[in-house]
Amino acid sequence: MIVIGGSASTNLAEKVAKQLGQEPGRIEIKRFPDGEKYIRIHEEVKGQDVALIQSLYRTPDEYVFEYLLIADTLRDMGAASITGVIPYLAYARQDSRFYPGEALSSVSIARFFEAVGTTSIITVDCHLHRLGDVSKVFKIPAQNVSAMTLLGRYARDNLRPKRPIVVGPDEEAEQWAGTVAKELDAKHAAFTKKRIRKEGETKSRVVIDTGNVDVKDQDVVFADDIISTGGTLAEAARACKRKGAKRIFVVCTHPALADGALKRIKAAGVSRIVGTDTIPSPISTVSVAPVIAAALKTRS
Ligand code: R5P
């Protein structure tokens, strides 16, 4: 299998290739003076299985289009299969038409990827609040792998929480809290969250309900898939402080970190925030390369 990284995931592609005992496939990506992208693949891909790694963060539209150009070129050059490895699948959160006329972006993205010859998909901790499973969005085989075991081990070995409880800041995050808790040999729980978004606005306000979860005198480790604005975790951390929690840590897969998110979360009393390299960031300490490589191994 040839592993190729788009410009969003050059470093991650190198790490994944290394895990598989090979060099990453050579690709040239430049920009023409007018802003268009120039793509050239310097590998013989005819009859080969190719894994194309491209995470869709910060400038997702640019990276989506670049993915489409590369995949279409691979198909045209005769690649036997194209596995789209999309560590952070942008647009997954818009999986419902909340107001009439809104784009169902998660479905549209899936159609675009399929249209250029992608034969299967691997994502990492994909956010599919209402659908629950990435294979329900794509018509081609789609697999989700999780970074939560790696994050749990990192927390155990490096954060070393005392009397830990692992908490998902909302209902969907309970699954991730459960996986992290196993590594810490701790209990886990989940809060409930309401997001209030007014019609015509893209920003929303978050209201967290801690229910009867007891965090008094315990170290809390939050586990979540994405930190976007940090509003969810800041609210959840403040709620824990009010209930008498000791130290608060956060582990998350995708540090999207929009809009001063780190500052916002730290100001709420969080001691350390750890993320992965699905999105390069100042907190991307844990690499998802091993879980991606393991998933690719089962296909080659
Ligand atoms: C949503 O349900 C996700 O799991 C995250 O909790 C959410 O996307 C984080 O967004 P923000 O950081 O803007 O609150």
Side-chain angles (χ1 to χ4, degrees):
M1 176 174 275
I2 299 175
V3 176
I4 291 183
S7 57
S9 299
T10 313
N11 291 340
L12 183 56
E14 268 172 30
K15 289 184 200 163
V16 171
K18 196 171 172 197
Q19 292 272 331
L20 295 172
Q22 60 192 67
E23 292 292 320
R26 288 158 307 144
I27 182 167
E28 196 180 340
I29 304 171
K30 292 194 289 205
R31 220 180 246 293
F32 285 110
D34 62 0
E36 293 174 3
K37 282 260 165 107
Y38 168 90
I39 304 286
R40 186 170 174 197
I41 296 160
H42 292 282
E43 297 290 338
E44 180 48 75
V45 297
K46 195 171 173 53
Q48 301 281 335
D49 294 318
V50 180
L52 172 54
I53 307 185
Q54 178 84 319
S55 208
L56 308 176
Y57 56 88
R58 282 185 214 121
T59 50
D61 302 351
E62 177 196 345
Y63 293 145
V64 167
F65 189 66
E66 192 184 289
Y67 177 95
L68 299 177
L69 281 180
I70 301 170
D72 202 33
T73 309
L74 290 168
R75 174 173 65 171
D76 208 36
M77 290 168 76
S81 69
I82 304 168
T83 300
V85 181
I86 318 296
Y88 175 56
L89 182 65
Y91 289 108
R93 283 181 288 177
Q94 186 70 28
D95 61 2
S96 184
R97 191 160 278 141
F98 302 97
Y99 293 107
E102 286 185 337
L104 254 183
S105 312
S106 60
V107 175
S108 301
I109 281 280
R111 297 298 88 88
F112 300 158
F113 283 13
E114 286 158 4
V116 291
T118 309
T119 49
S120 65
I121 291 283
I122 296 174
T123 62
V124 184
D125 291 325
C126 183
H127 182 99
L128 288 164
H129 217 120
R130 284 152 286 271
L131 296 177
D133 188 346
V134 68
S135 67
K136 289 191 182 143
V137 180
F138 287 87
K139 293 200 176 102
I140 52 177
Q143 176 190 1
N144 183 70
V145 297
S146 183
M148 290 298 165
T149 300
L150 297 175
L151 286 166
R153 284 182 196 151
Y154 183 90
R156 180 193 65 202
D157 299 340
N158 298 278
L159 305 179
R160 297 167 192 265
K162 300 215 166 63
R163 297 193 63 225
I165 174 162
V166 185
V167 179
D170 58 29
E171 306 87 318
E172 192 198 16
E174 181 168 10
Q175 52 181 313
W176 298 308
T179 308
V180 171
K182 260 189 210 146
E183 298 306 316
L184 289 169
D185 201 12
K187 281 194 179 155
H188 78 278
F191 294 161
T192 51
K193 174 172 91 180
K194 256 199 211 131
R195 219 177 242 294
I196 300 158
R197 176 163 72 95
K198 288 192 189 141
E199 186 162 359
E201 290 183 359
T202 49
K203 280 198 176 170
S204 56
R205 196 167 61 82
V206 162
V207 180
I208 298 277
D209 180 357
T210 60
N212 56 8
V213 180
D214 183 14
V215 294
K216 193 167 166 46
D217 295 330
Q218 299 182 74
D219 282 353
V220 175
V221 179
F222 280 113
D224 206 359
D225 57 344
I226 310 172
I227 299 175
S228 183
T229 64
T232 299
L233 285 161
E235 274 306 307
R238 271 193 287 271
C240 284
K241 283 285 177 193
R242 283 196 294 272
K243 280 187 137 181
K246 289 228 150 135
R247 292 179 303 169
I248 301 180
F249 302 105
V250 168
V251 297
C252 85
T253 305
H254 310 295
L257 305 184
D259 220 5
L262 284 184
K263 233 174 146 186
R264 187 166 296 117
I265 297 172
K266 282 188 182 151
V270 172
S271 312
R272 260 212 60 206
I273 312 161
V274 176
T276 83
D277 56 358
T278 61
I279 301 180
S281 78
I283 58 156
S284 297
T285 318
V286 174
S287 180
V288 292
V291 286
I292 291 175
L296 289 174
K297 262 187 201 157
T298 63
R299 289 151 196 248
S300 51

